[in-house]
Amino acid sequence: MQAKGLVFVLFVAAATGSSVKCKLDIATATADLAAASKGIEKAVKACTANVTSADCTADIKATETSLNAASAEMEKAAQDCSTAGSQCQKDLEQIAGAINSALLSLESAGSDCSKGNTTACITDITKVAADLSTAVIGTIDADKDCGSNNTLSEQGSVKCKLDIATATADLAGAAKDVKKAADDCKNSTSPACLADIKALENSLNSAGNAMSSAAADCTEAGSQCQKDVEAVATAINNALHELEAAGAACSSGNDTACLSDLTKVASYLASSAVEIVDAEKDCKNSTLTTSVKCKLDIATATADLTAAVKDIGKAADSCKQNVTSTACIADIKSTESALNGASGEMEKAAQDCAVAGSDCQKDLEGVASSINSALLSIEDAGSDCTKGNTTACVSDLTHVGASLASASIDMIDATKSCSKNGTVVAF
């Protein structure tokens, strides 16, 4: 019975550890994409001024570095999120596809800009910004579908959430529109170019209207939410302003100004994508920080228990051969270290999960109690084994295993009860 319990917690802990890695991969990739967005914003200014300038080249290089970092994180996420379901995998593939497309366009930009090919350079950069918007917006779906915060309490009004969701969809549409315009507006007076600009205007206006609604509907979601909403609205307004200029330039046949203005639109669009990701999170739940801490405490403690399970299994074998052997003592020491780590995390969880309800607290106390019992027994094992007392050593290790099995059951209960309240992320 104990063996089954240990195997079960090992499986659950491994899955939990992967989910934390999955969450961190996506978060890191999102941060890299935000850095890339800033890089392309600088590149737009530098390269529209002079495509062969050192600043233009440097900004393109900086953007490339951030995109490569994001790409690497998505490769890790593909592995770490493998148990999160097919929709999660689809989201990650879409993000990775957008990043790869951005990298290809950026590579072309580096070549075209250095050759002084202004039209091609600006077109390439516009496509990069559009793909960046697509990738950043994709992280919202990935964040939900890959399980990082899909059961967080959503204290904001339903209208607030719908406003932001509507604006997000409109921005995603705008990203496609501006990328299409980058190609069609090489001939600025073509019907296709003017149609793309009109479609882009419609998408941005719709997004702007949704954010205006959000400003009213999200008033109870906290000051940070309000700041994010304002930042999105500002970026959209800036994009619309540049689009108005693009419309005038394109319709008058000024190809260079037309493409230059569209690049600025794409830059503001990328900025709005980054800001709306923040809004989607901050307008959802004001206790997000506490809930994430609670989740990470329990996840880390579970990972420590997993290590302790592995170590006690090794100790059972090595100490069976010779209780005074170096291997036996080392395995006991490793088990003790892992248990101390789990104990420390449970102390933190007791504080960070305080708002998750009485059942959560009871389960956490049960885990902590079992861990403490295991620590007492492993301390006894260290003493008895080094003295060569085989019977007592084996007995102590058995008690450690029993306490670990008990802790595993309580930890499984804790992962459930600490998420019922809705303020803690599901595991």
Side-chain angles (χ1 to χ4, degrees), residues 168-191:
T168 302
D170 289 331
L171 289 176
K176 294 179 181 178
D177 294 335
V178 77
K179 188 174 182 180
K180 190 170 183 296
D183 283 327
D184 292 337
C185 293
K186 289 175 183 176
N187 179 359
S188 60
T189 58
S190 69

Side-chain angles (χ1 to χ4, degrees), residues 9 82 109 158 194 216 245 292 338-340 357 359 367 417:
V9 75
S82 59
V158 173
L194 299 179
V292 171
L339 283 170
N340 278 322
D359 287 343
V367 176
S417 62

Side-chain angles (χ1 to χ4, degrees), residues 72-423:
E73 288 300 327
M74 295 312 299
E75 288 181 8
K76 290 165 59 180
Q79 293 182 332
D80 295 333
C81 305
S82 59
T83 60
S86 59
Q87 190 55 53
C88 168
Q89 290 298 313
K90 288 179 182 177
D91 294 339
L92 296 179
E93 288 171 7
Q94 288 177 352
I95 296 169
I99 291 173
N100 288 336
S101 180
L103 279 168
L104 289 174
S105 294
L106 199 62
E107 184 178 354
S108 296
S111 174
D112 291 330
C113 297
S114 62
K115 293 175 182 177
N117 191 336
T118 302
T119 300
C121 170
I122 297 303
T123 300
D124 295 334
I125 292 174
T126 303
K127 291 180 179 179
V128 173
D131 285 326
L132 262 174
S133 301
T134 301
V136 172
I137 290 171
T139 64
I140 294 178
D141 288 334
D143 200 42
K144 295 175 184 175
D145 296 330
C146 298
S148 51
N149 69 351
N150 56 322
T151 58
L152 278 172
S153 170
E154 299 182 350
Q155 297 175 355
S157 68
V158 173
K159 287 183 179 180
C160 172
K161 289 179 288 181
L162 289 178
D163 293 338
I164 293 174
T166 300
T168 302
D170 289 331
L171 289 176
K176 294 179 181 178
D177 294 335
V178 77
K179 188 174 182 180
K180 190 170 183 296
D183 283 327
D184 292 337
C185 293
K186 289 175 183 176
N187 179 359
S188 60
T189 58
S190 69
C193 172
L194 299 179
D196 293 339
I197 289 175
K198 187 62 179 177
L200 181 55
E201 182 183 13
N202 290 338
S203 295
L204 287 173
N205 276 325
S206 182
N209 290 336
M211 293 315 295
S212 294
S213 298
D217 295 332
C218 303
T219 54
E220 297 180 359
S223 60
Q224 189 55 54
C225 167
Q226 289 292 310
K227 289 179 182 178
D228 294 338
V229 168
E230 290 171 6
V232 177
T234 297
I236 291 172
N237 286 335
N238 287 337
L240 280 167
H241 176 74
E242 294 299 338
L243 187 63
E244 185 178 356
C250 297
S251 61
S252 65
N254 190 336
D255 292 353
T256 301
C258 171
L259 288 173
S260 177
D261 292 334
L262 283 175
T263 302
K264 293 174 184 176
V265 172
S267 174
Y268 283 123
L269 186 58
S271 296
S272 68
V274 173
E275 299 293 352
I276 207 162
V277 169
D278 290 337
E280 195 274 338
K281 294 176 182 176
D282 295 332
C283 297
K284 182 177 290 184
N285 186 358
S286 60
T287 61
L288 176 64
T289 301
T290 301
S291 72
V292 171
K293 285 183 179 178
C294 175
K295 174 190 185 297
L296 292 178
D297 293 340
I298 294 177
T300 306
T302 306
D304 288 332
L305 281 178
T306 302
V309 168
K310 291 181 180 178
D311 291 335
I312 200 66
K314 291 174 64 179
D317 288 332
S318 60
C319 297
K320 185 192 301 182
Q321 302 298 322
N322 182 354
V323 295
T324 60
S325 67
T326 302
C328 172
I329 303 303
D331 291 336
I332 289 173
K333 191 67 178 175
S334 294
T335 304
E336 184 178 15
S337 177
L339 283 170
N340 278 322
S343 179
E345 289 300 324
M346 294 314 296
E347 288 180 8
K348 289 164 60 179
Q351 293 183 332
D352 294 332
C353 303
V355 297
S358 59
D359 287 343
C360 170
Q361 289 296 313
K362 288 179 183 177
D363 291 332
L364 294 178
E365 288 170 5
V367 176
S369 177
S370 295
I371 290 174
N372 287 336
S373 294
L375 277 167
L376 290 174
S377 295
I378 201 71
E379 186 178 350
D380 290 339
S383 175
D384 292 330
C385 295
T386 54
K387 292 176 181 178
N389 191 337
T390 302
T391 301
C393 171
V394 172
S395 176
D396 295 333
L397 292 177
T398 301
H399 285 306
V400 173
S403 295
L404 276 172
S406 179
S408 73
I409 300 302
D410 288 332
M411 187 67 88
I412 292 169
D413 290 337
T415 60
K416 296 177 181 178
S417 62
C418 294
S419 63
K420 284 180 180 179
N421 178 279
T423 59

